[in-house]
């Protein structure tokens, strides 16, 4: 064989070797990201109240992506974050999980989504201001599939029976107290309560936040009136006491569905719960919604809101497929399903608003109030705020006040001190 021919053969062999290497590298990259053509199995943790709606949205997703299978898991609301953190730390992987970013950011397992969003040319305009709320140190660590805000639900039948006008859409907290007292009657097992206030700290501190105060302010004096309002409602006998709620295991959903509660202040997710209860034949009374009460001088329909997002595990073995699912559930396609089920979605445009309002045949009649709110966050989306400030400091000190073991003034003073010593000293720059 001549030198020229030998050189040509060697060149061809080298080229073939390089091509094989390149294909191998490409195959490895595709495997790591989750090859779009191969079958992929994902695990996803979601809140129990959202699971059925996620499954409905998944049916549509699976039609477009038959190779991507998703197994949904859920845990009781009170144990949700604890359970998924344990599962993730023990190596049982979730590719995707729902929740608040601030509650999971300290785990170090949240995957930045910026590159995926850019490469997929995802439209994020529909998220509005909530898109930036999902950023930590300028990186997007999740996308909101829904937003929870607060409204007041009321049993129209109870108001009709008493001949009392339905609650106004521009009611102050003082007027709410008076109305609650008017709607309360009976005793013990035959009692009708004017209102039900869930035993979460947000339900007593919301009136201060409505006026622009933050639960991590150094001066928390606006929260005195907020806590006093809850204490006064209990003294009036217009709401079930905190101690009775705890001992009986009372819950806002079951309490309102029982039919002996006139008004129930809770989040937008209650719409889906009541619709399901009606479909199952569990309730027969008529109901509607109005904005929650507000302080004097505060704009009507000022409420508290909180984005609930989907996050991706940075250790997922199916990065491409996981983001494709995340994009679907949080974007316009998933929003259509969630909106039609009564959820206020993270992504909103005119079409989603129409899906949310529906044909007007479903309750509540005044669903539009949910789309007309002025909103303040329930709490700042900062590390440690929910776990330490809300779930420990405000919860513990608030409970002592509701048990009568310390005054409202003493309670707020202790909260001020503990916020500074237990949270600000560790997290505040």
């Amino acid at each position: 064989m001549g030198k020229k021919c030998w050189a040509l053969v060697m060149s061809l062999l080298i080229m073939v070797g390089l091509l094989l290497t390149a294909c191998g590298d490409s195959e490895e990259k595709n495997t790591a990201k989750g090859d779009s053509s191969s079958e992929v199995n994902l695990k996803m943790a979601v809140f129990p109240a959202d699971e059925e709606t996620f499954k409905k949205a998944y049916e549509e997703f699976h039609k477009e992506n038959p190779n991507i299978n998703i197994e949904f898991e859920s845990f009781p609301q009170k144990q949700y974050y604890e359970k998924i953190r344990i599962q993730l730390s023990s190596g049982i992987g979730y590719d995707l999980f729902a929740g608040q970013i601030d509650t999971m950011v300290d785990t170090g397992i949240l995957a930045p989504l910026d590159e995926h969003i850019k490469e997929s040319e995802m439209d994020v305009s529909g998220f509005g201001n909530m898109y930036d709320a999902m950023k930590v140190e300028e990186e997007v660590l999740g996308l909101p599939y829904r937003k929870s805000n607060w409204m007041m639900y009321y049993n129209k039948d109870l108001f009709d029976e008493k001949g009392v006008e339905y609650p106004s859409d521009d009611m102050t907290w003082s007027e709410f107290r008076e109305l609650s007292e008017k709607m309360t009657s009976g005793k013990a097992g035959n009692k009708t309560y004017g209102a039900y206030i869930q035993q979460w700290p947000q339900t007593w501190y919301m009136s201060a936040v409505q006026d622009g105060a933050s639960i991590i302010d150094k001066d928390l004096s606006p929260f005195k009136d907020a806590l006093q309002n809850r204490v006064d409602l209990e003294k009036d006998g217009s709401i079930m006491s905190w101690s009775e709620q705890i001992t009986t295991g009372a819950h806002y959903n079951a309490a309102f569905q029982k039919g002996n509660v006139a008004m129930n202040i809770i989040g937008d997710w209650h719409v889906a719960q009541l619709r399901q209860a009606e479909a199952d034949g569990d309730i027969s009374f008529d109901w509607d919604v109005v904005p929650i009460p507000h302080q004097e001088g505060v704009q009507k329909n000022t409420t508290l809101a909180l984005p609930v997002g989907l996050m991706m595990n940075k250790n997922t073995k199916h990065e491409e497929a996981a983001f494709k699912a995340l994009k679907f559930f949080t974007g316009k396609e998933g929003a259509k399903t969630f909106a039609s089920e009564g959820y206020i979605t993270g992504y909103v445009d005119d079409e989603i608003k129409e899906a949310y309002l529906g044909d007007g045949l479903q309750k509540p009649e005044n669903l539009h109030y949910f789309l007309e709110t002025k909103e303040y966050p329930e709490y700042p989306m900062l590390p440690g705020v929910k776990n330490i400030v809300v779930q420990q400091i405000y919860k513990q000190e608030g409970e002592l006040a509701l048990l009568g073991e310390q005054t409202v003034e003493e309670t707020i003073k202790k909260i001020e001190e503990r916020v500074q010593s237990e949270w600000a000293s560790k997290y505040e720059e």
Side-chain angles (χ1 to χ4, degrees):
M1 184 183 292
K3 288 183 178 180
K4 288 186 178 179
C5 290
W6 179 253
L8 180 60
V9 169
M10 289 300 294
S11 297
L12 288 170
L13 287 172
I14 291 170
M15 288 176 67
V16 170
L18 289 172
L19 284 170
L20 289 173
T21 301
C23 289
D25 288 346
S26 176
E27 197 172 305
E28 285 179 15
K29 287 178 183 177
N30 283 337
T31 301
K33 285 194 172 186
D35 192 337
S36 59
S37 63
S38 61
E39 187 168 355
V40 175
N41 297 310
L42 302 176
K43 285 186 69 177
M44 182 170 165
V46 298
F47 289 115
D50 301 341
E51 187 173 4
E52 289 306 312
T53 306
F54 265 115
K55 287 180 178 178
K56 287 182 181 179
Y58 170 63
E59 290 176 7
E60 296 303 314
F61 173 78
H62 198 55
K63 290 175 184 176
E64 299 177 15
N65 304 275
N67 65 307
I68 301 177
N69 306 307
I70 301 179
E71 177 188 353
F72 294 94
E73 286 192 3
S74 188
F75 305 99
Q77 185 80 26
K78 291 183 179 180
Q79 304 168 14
Y80 180 78
Y81 286 110
E82 178 187 358
K83 290 286 189 181
I84 63 171
R85 289 170 74 98
I86 290 173
Q87 297 274 29
L88 288 165
S89 65
S90 65
I92 301 174
Y94 291 113
D95 302 279
L96 298 166
F97 39 91
Q100 274 90 42
I101 283 182
D102 61 294
T103 308
M104 298 299 296
V105 69
D106 65 318
T107 62
I109 62 170
L110 304 189
L113 304 178
D114 307 76
E115 184 179 341
H116 291 289
I117 291 169
K118 183 178 179 181
E119 288 181 354
S120 67
E121 298 182 343
M122 182 179 185
D123 174 23
V124 297
S125 61
F127 294 118
N129 294 332
M130 283 203 297
Y131 183 71
D132 287 334
M134 308 302 280
K135 293 180 180 179
V136 176
E137 295 182 355
E138 300 306 314
E139 287 186 320
V140 178
L141 297 183
L143 290 174
Y145 66 93
R146 69 170 171 88
K147 172 178 68 176
S148 60
N149 66 20
W150 295 73
M151 201 62 60
M152 189 167 80
Y153 300 73
Y154 64 95
N155 183 324
K156 296 174 74 173
D157 289 5
L158 289 180
F159 280 88
D160 291 341
E161 288 171 13
K162 285 186 174 289
V164 177
E165 288 187 12
Y166 297 148
S168 163
D169 65 355
D170 191 9
M171 182 167 53
T172 66
W173 284 104
S174 296
E175 291 167 339
F176 170 71
R177 181 185 176 187
E178 293 173 6
L179 184 58
S180 297
E181 196 166 11
K182 183 184 292 186
M183 292 301 297
T184 300
S185 62
K187 293 182 179 180
N190 196 34
K191 184 169 184 176
T192 295
Y193 288 99
Y196 187 90
I197 307 293
Q198 182 68 9
Q199 57 267 39
W200 300 332
Q202 297 94 316
T203 59
W204 68 256
Y205 74 55
M206 63 168 51
S207 63
V209 176
Q210 282 178 303
D211 205 11
S214 169
I215 64 170
I216 58 173
D217 287 342
K218 291 183 179 179
D219 177 13
L220 296 176
S221 54
F223 290 84
K224 291 179 184 177
D225 287 342
L227 181 55
Q228 188 64 55
N229 181 57
R230 168 70 191 244
V231 171
D232 289 341
L233 285 165
E234 286 200 13
K235 286 181 178 178
D236 295 339
S238 303
I239 64 172
M240 187 182 291
S241 68
W242 180 87
S243 57
E244 186 179 352
Q245 287 178 316
I246 297 301
T247 55
T248 62
H251 187 266
Y252 70 87
N253 190 23
F256 191 64
Q257 288 190 29
K258 190 176 179 182
N260 65 335
V261 169
M263 296 175 285
N264 186 23
I265 295 177
I266 202 65
D268 65 282
W269 59 87
H270 196 36
V271 169
Q273 292 172 332
L274 292 177
R275 286 177 176 174
Q276 187 61 52
E278 286 188 315
D280 294 340
D282 294 332
I283 61 173
S284 57
F285 60 82
D286 199 4
W287 57 277
D288 205 349
V289 296
V290 290
I292 61 174
H294 59 83
Q295 297 278 41
E296 289 280 0
V298 172
Q299 178 182 318
K300 73 175 185 178
N301 208 0
T302 298
T303 190
L304 277 60
L306 199 64
V308 184
L310 271 187
M311 293 158 275
M312 186 167 76
N313 189 338
K314 72 176 185 181
N315 298 317
T316 179
K317 295 179 180 179
H318 308 291
E319 190 177 335
E320 180 184 310
F323 180 75
K324 185 175 286 188
L326 186 151
K327 177 184 176 182
F328 183 94
F329 289 130
T330 61
K332 184 166 184 172
E333 296 91 343
K336 289 178 185 177
T337 301
F338 276 91
S340 65
E341 291 296 317
Y343 288 87
I344 302 174
T345 55
Y347 184 98
V348 178
D349 62 14
D350 289 341
E351 189 175 348
I352 302 304
K353 287 180 180 179
E354 288 180 13
Y356 180 73
L357 295 173
D359 56 12
L361 298 178
Q362 286 197 93
K363 295 177 186 174
E365 181 181 345
N366 288 302
L367 189 63
H368 61 91
Y369 284 129
F370 285 104
L371 302 177
E372 301 164 359
T373 57
K374 176 182 178 181
E375 299 168 346
Y376 286 102
E378 285 185 19
Y379 56 83
M381 300 294 285
L382 299 171
V385 171
K386 182 175 182 179
N387 293 339
I388 297 173
V389 179
V390 178
Q391 295 182 338
Q392 294 181 37
I393 300 173
Y394 274 77
K395 182 176 184 292
Q396 293 165 1
E397 298 299 335
E399 288 172 358
L400 291 175
L402 295 173
L403 287 171
E405 296 184 12
Q406 61 188 20
T407 67
V408 168
E409 191 167 340
E410 289 170 339
T411 299
I412 301 304
K413 183 65 177 174
K414 285 186 178 181
I415 292 175
E416 279 183 352
E417 293 170 353
R418 289 185 64 185
V419 168
Q420 294 306 309
S421 64
E422 297 175 32
W423 178 81
S425 63
K426 298 176 183 178
Y427 293 95
E428 202 172 44
E429 294 180 358

